[in-house]
Amino acid sequence: MIVVKQVMDHCSSFFEYKGDLYQCEAADVLIAVYPATRKRGWWTYVTLELHKSGASECVLYSYQFDRAMITHLANIAHQVMRRWEEHNTLLQKGSVFLLEGAIQETSVLDCALATPVYYEEVGFEYYTNGKDVIRFMMLHAIAKSEAVFAQRYGLDALEELFARTCVDSLNVMRTPAI
């Protein structure tokens, strides 16, 4: 539990707020939720115990608070833990996770893609207490068609497509780029 508090303190130091804690039945993992601020115009949802299954934590974002994001993050955490237990596979840049439904009720985005934490200040992406090293990975809501594109052509090609078409990856109601 000491490392969990250290991870939460790490997040709080960057987000300027102590997160509210949630836990879902979908996975036995705590999730901290940090509100949008003037500096950070989005809500941030962070796993706090996932590091026990491969030294990573996941971060999900939304423009408004949505309790469904907590459930989605818990389901993804469960998938990450299962991959670790069954295959000893670490969470990787480009990993894709199928959501149990659309990210939001009327959205067509039904997958999540792991990338480095692009929207955070330098220094956030890794936490260490001198013994443990924990990497933070951002999850982007994407459509199945975008997931297939990334698997076929690679993450760099999908990111180039997103940049070329001005995709706002925090907009969970966006139209897929493909």
Side-chain angles (χ1 to χ4, degrees), residues 95-108:
S95 295
V96 174
F97 302 93
L98 184 62
L99 302 177
E100 290 187 347
I103 191 86
Q104 279 190 345
E105 197 170 303
T106 57
S107 175
V108 296

Side-chain angles (χ1 to χ4, degrees), residues 69-80:
M69 295 295 189
I70 298 166
T71 303
H72 287 304
L73 188 53
N75 286 327
I76 292 166
H78 178 74
Q79 292 177 57
V80 170

Side-chain angles (χ1 to χ4, degrees), residues 10-138:
H10 173 76
C11 293
S12 296
S13 71
F14 281 88
F15 304 151
E16 300 174 6
Y17 180 80
K18 186 172 180 163
D20 294 325
L21 295 177
Y22 294 85
Q23 190 157 21
C24 287
E25 291 180 22
D28 189 21
V29 62
L30 281 174
I31 295 173
V33 178
Y34 299 88
T37 63
R38 286 181 191 222
K39 183 178 175 184
R40 297 173 51 81
W42 51 84
W43 287 78
T44 307
Y45 310 79
V46 183
T47 60
L48 298 174
E49 297 174 304
L50 191 57
H51 63 272
K52 298 172 190 174
S53 299
S56 291
E57 297 292 349
C58 292
V59 181
L60 188 62
Y61 302 99
S62 66
Y63 283 126
Q64 278 102 32
F65 174 78
D66 186 351
R67 192 164 178 86
M69 295 295 189
I70 298 166
T71 303
H72 287 304
L73 188 53
N75 286 327
I76 292 166
H78 178 74
Q79 292 177 57
V80 170
M81 288 186 276
R82 192 173 59 229
R83 286 181 186 182
W84 175 255
E85 291 168 4
E86 293 174 4
H87 307 288
N88 208 26
T89 303
L90 296 173
L91 177 61
Q92 297 293 320
K93 174 181 164 182
S95 295
V96 174
F97 302 93
L98 184 62
L99 302 177
E100 290 187 347
I103 191 86
Q104 279 190 345
E105 197 170 303
T106 57
S107 175
V108 296
L109 307 179
D110 52 4
C111 294
L113 172 71
T115 69
V117 283
Y118 296 130
Y119 297 145
E120 302 304 340
E121 294 179 34
V122 172
F124 177 79
E125 65 274 11
Y126 287 97
Y127 167 75
T128 186
N129 57 12
K131 178 183 174 192
D132 303 289
V133 177
I134 299 168
R135 176 181 57 160
F136 290 86
M137 298 291 285
M138 177 179 179

Side-chain angles (χ1 to χ4, degrees), residues 79 83 93-99 108-115 140-159 161-162 167 174-178:
Q79 292 177 57
R83 286 181 186 182
K93 174 181 164 182
S95 295
V96 174
F97 302 93
L98 184 62
L99 302 177
V108 296
L109 307 179
D110 52 4
C111 294
L113 172 71
T115 69
H140 302 263
I142 63 171
K144 281 185 188 119
S145 58
E146 294 166 335
V148 168
F149 182 90
Q151 290 170 335
R152 183 174 293 149
Y153 301 107
L155 179 59
D156 290 341
L158 181 64
E159 289 177 336
L161 175 65
F162 282 1
V167 166
R174 70 177 176 81
T175 303
I178 299 169

